[in-house]
Amino acid sequence: DLTDKTFSSITSFSGLFDGNGHTISGLSTTNGLFATATNARIYDLTVAGTVGDEDSTAIKVGGIVGNSTLTAGEYLYISGCTNMCTVTGSQYVGGIVGQLQYTDGINSIENCTVENCEISSTSSAVGGVLGYSYGNSSSMNTVKNCGITGGSVNASYIGGGIVGNAFQTNVIGCYNYGATITVTASGSSAQAGGITGYNGKIYSCFSSADVLA
């Protein structure tokens, strides 16, 4: 329990982190438990608390990982994690990962859940699980068997229940049970959806969300 304790995001992480079913509660940090992660496998962990800054100017903000920008041969794999944090920022904001961007590799978020959280961006690319995903046509990013239950996803421009902007990304077997998606921009700049806000290849997903745009 980190309540009333000073904690900053782990600046950079590589390797294996097995949460072994434990919960980190009272989390209060700007970019996420891990600000950046490269060549990392993160398993079986729950976080609860708040992630973001008071004036919502932070970018690349996620409950577990803020940013993972990868080059050829690098990877990020997250499985079995749960976020119960409020997550806020300016852009690239997600319940599990803020931004996942790479040129090549095997990168996936699987079997993760976001429970009754407010996930909010004052600009664009906010998602219940992953805010901004930029994959590669030959080896796409994957979000699989993930879900959000309750809460809300709020953005000015691009908001999705699972992924905000899902460029070159497969979204497979994911669900949105009642998380309201709200995008406040008007006209063609408003992109919103129960599963993805913009882009993405969607397979066998389900949403019962209200989408307001």
Side-chain angles (χ1 to χ4, degrees):
D1 186 352
L2 296 175
T3 303
D4 298 326
K5 296 179 175 64
T6 300
F7 176 82
S8 298
S9 299
I10 298 168
T11 304
S12 180
F13 177 74
S14 297
L16 171 64
F17 187 98
D18 185 350
N20 198 29
H22 291 289
T23 296
I24 298 174
S25 59
L27 184 65
S28 179
T29 188
T30 300
N31 293 100
L33 180 63
F34 304 100
T36 63
T38 304
N39 290 333
R41 297 179 183 272
I42 302 168
Y43 300 110
D44 201 16
L45 174 69
T46 296
V47 293
T50 58
V51 177
D53 53 355
E54 292 183 358
D55 54 0
S56 298
T57 59
I59 63 172
K60 303 172 186 175
V61 182
I64 303 293
V65 174
N67 176 46
S68 186
T69 300
L70 309 171
T71 57
E74 296 180 332
Y75 63 87
L76 176 71
Y77 182 69
I78 299 177
S79 179
C81 291
T82 297
N83 175 40
M84 296 189 292
C85 294
T86 297
V87 184
T88 59
S90 173
Q91 59 182 346
Y92 310 151
V93 178
I96 301 295
V97 177
Q99 173 180 269
L100 176 57
Q101 182 172 358
Y102 80 110
T103 56
D104 196 7
I106 300 174
N107 306 289
S108 65
I109 303 169
E110 299 184 5
N111 304 309
C112 292
T113 58
V114 176
E115 298 181 0
N116 298 310
C117 299
E118 180 179 339
I119 314 296
S120 299
S121 161
T122 57
S123 182
S124 65
V126 57
V129 173
L130 173 58
Y132 177 75
S133 179
Y134 192 100
N136 183 297
S137 60
S138 63
S139 182
M140 298 170 71
N141 288 343
T142 298
V143 180
K144 184 177 181 180
N145 298 334
C146 293
I148 182 170
T149 302
S152 62
V153 175
N154 308 291
S156 293
Y157 297 102
I158 299 173
I162 303 299
V163 185
N165 190 340
F167 182 78
Q168 301 289 16
T169 300
N170 292 317
V171 184
I172 304 167
C174 294
Y175 60 87
N176 177 352
Y177 288 133
T180 301
I181 315 301
T182 302
V183 172
T184 58
S186 60
S188 60
S189 60
Q191 305 285 343
I195 300 297
T196 70
Y198 186 62
N199 289 315
K201 294 187 176 181
I202 301 171
Y203 305 92
S204 303
C205 294
F206 171 82
S207 173
S208 61
D210 291 330
V211 179
L212 308 174

